[in-house]
Amino acid sequence: MNSTAVTDLNSDDQVAQWRADFPILKTQVNGHPLVYLDNGATTQKPQVVIDAVSHYYENTNSNIHRGVHQLSELATAAYENGREQVRRFIGAASVKEVVFTRGTTESINLVANSWGMANLKAGDEVLVTEMEHHSNIVPWQMVTERTGALLKVVPINDAGEISLDDVRGLINDRTRMVAISQLSNALGTINPVKEVIEMAHQAGAIVLVDGAQAIAHIPVDMADLNCDFYAFSGHKIFGPTGTGVLYGKEALLEAMPPWQGGGDMIRIVRFEKSTWNDLPYKFEAGTPNIAGGIGLGVALDYVSDVGLEKIAAHETELLNYASRKLQELPGLKLIGTAKNRASIASFVLDQLHAHDLGTILDSEGIAIRAGHHCAMPVMQHYGVAATARASFAFYNTFSEVDRLMDGLNKAVEMFG
Ligand code: 7TS
């Protein structure tokens, strides 16, 4: 991690140092140097993470929490060290509050199924926003249908923002849960989650923050945020796929029933009745993604070494530059123009369907995403079927934004 030792580089040199940590960024795609602008879907992995995963499989592969042999002890220690690295990164009070999952989707489903089925009843309300990813809508739809609770929605304005007055108006003494993303994957909007959390708590409701996008772009601290649950995916913060975290306040997790049964989550199994393991293992049935948990811990330490403040500063400049350039293109409309935005530029072009645009850009070695971004209600709000989305990470450069603009101009010339 040479990059981290360097403090006085100008921005371009700094980014070049960061880029050197990511082997895939040297790849050619369709005869062009890769321009990877699909970081909202998944981020690339630094060499230290790749090495940590390889090292585990080459040297200590073994199942955890059960073996008496040395490899199992080493694997267990490395995996639990990964949990401690997560705890430190998010400022959780204890590793008991850090549940490993497959990703954000599984973390939210865990809360909806365990907490939701145990606590929701007819007449109760769950509040989400119009900009949520499907994984922060559908689990709540499923559990409210099963319990007779009501799902309510905070609307967005045409800039892609929620209003705190709307939130205040929609929270009442029947509200049990507010589930809200910190950073929208379809719009790039940063939500005022701290204010929402305070409002919800005053009304006696609890809050789940979907941090899938935020985690790699905005410094978070559970003690400061004071949310009840926080969900994120390892693969969106430079860690391995199939890893994720559910942070939950210890008292809440303690009171919740397990949601999956199997090995590791039990203390004693009897046919008459079984009892559950301590936190966080009560929620971790079966053999987990051991290499993934180890790799995630390394990824978070890597991000801490780079520094989220530095990351946010560079990405803000990049997004401002990209937004300005994009808006110069005739026929282009940005979808999501919130005052408080990060890392994501979503747009439509009059002349061209987003998918065609994605294909043309790909032929130039430029990876973006085209589609509904698992946020169909957002598409519905804007009356579009899909948007093209460039999503940035700290290793992206201004010249990559220029390459994107060249590609867009070429596409418009061909089809416009
Ligand atoms: N919540 C948000 C805000 C997301 O952006 C995503 C994934 C998820 C939840 C689900 O995360 P997962 O890791 O469990 O799949 N978003 C995207 C995206 O924007 N493009 O591909 C996946």
PDB file of all heavy atoms in Angstrom, residues 27 41 80 239 304 387:
ATOM      1  N   THR A  27      -6.396  -3.417 -17.413  1.00  0.00           N
ATOM      2  CA  THR A  27      -7.003  -4.264 -18.457  1.00  0.00           C
ATOM      3  C   THR A  27      -7.383  -3.458 -19.694  1.00  0.00           C
ATOM      4  O   THR A  27      -7.747  -2.285 -19.598  1.00  0.00           O
ATOM      5  CB  THR A  27      -8.294  -4.912 -17.880  1.00  0.00           C
ATOM      6  OG1 THR A  27      -7.944  -5.617 -16.712  1.00  0.00           O
ATOM      7  CG2 THR A  27      -8.946  -5.851 -18.872  1.00  0.00           C
ATOM      8  N   ALA A  41     -22.386  -0.815  -9.092  1.00  0.00           N
ATOM      9  CA  ALA A  41     -22.760  -2.234  -9.180  1.00  0.00           C
ATOM     10  C   ALA A  41     -21.801  -3.067  -8.356  1.00  0.00           C
ATOM     11  O   ALA A  41     -22.203  -3.857  -7.503  1.00  0.00           O
ATOM     12  CB  ALA A  41     -22.764  -2.700 -10.636  1.00  0.00           C
ATOM     13  N   GLU A  80     -12.392 -13.901  12.506  1.00  0.00           N
ATOM     14  CA  GLU A  80     -12.847 -13.045  13.611  1.00  0.00           C
ATOM     15  C   GLU A  80     -12.064 -11.723  13.647  1.00  0.00           C
ATOM     16  O   GLU A  80     -12.605 -10.703  14.091  1.00  0.00           O
ATOM     17  CB  GLU A  80     -12.748 -13.787  14.945  1.00  0.00           C
ATOM     18  CG  GLU A  80     -13.762 -14.930  15.080  1.00  0.00           C
ATOM     19  CD  GLU A  80     -15.213 -14.492  14.876  1.00  0.00           C
ATOM     20  OE1 GLU A  80     -15.571 -13.348  15.213  1.00  0.00           O
ATOM     21  OE2 GLU A  80     -16.006 -15.303  14.335  1.00  0.00           O
ATOM     22  N   GLY A 239     -14.159  -5.089  -1.316  1.00  0.00           N
ATOM     23  CA  GLY A 239     -14.003  -6.416  -0.728  1.00  0.00           C
ATOM     24  C   GLY A 239     -14.599  -7.477  -1.634  1.00  0.00           C
ATOM     25  O   GLY A 239     -15.142  -7.183  -2.703  1.00  0.00           O
ATOM     26  N   SER A 304      -9.458   2.662   5.032  1.00  0.00           N
ATOM     27  CA  SER A 304      -9.078   3.559   6.138  1.00  0.00           C
ATOM     28  C   SER A 304      -7.716   4.172   5.889  1.00  0.00           C
ATOM     29  O   SER A 304      -7.488   5.353   6.188  1.00  0.00           O
ATOM     30  CB  SER A 304      -9.026   2.792   7.469  1.00  0.00           C
ATOM     31  OG  SER A 304     -10.293   2.324   7.796  1.00  0.00           O
ATOM     32  N   THR A 387     -32.121   4.322 -17.133  1.00  0.00           N
ATOM     33  CA  THR A 387     -31.152   5.408 -17.286  1.00  0.00           C
ATOM     34  C   THR A 387     -29.778   4.793 -17.553  1.00  0.00           C
ATOM     35  O   THR A 387     -29.559   3.599 -17.319  1.00  0.00           O
ATOM     36  CB  THR A 387     -31.028   6.307 -16.029  1.00  0.00           C
ATOM     37  OG1 THR A 387     -30.305   5.607 -15.002  1.00  0.00           O
ATOM     38  CG2 THR A 387     -32.381   6.747 -15.509  1.00  0.00           C
TER      39      THR A 387
END
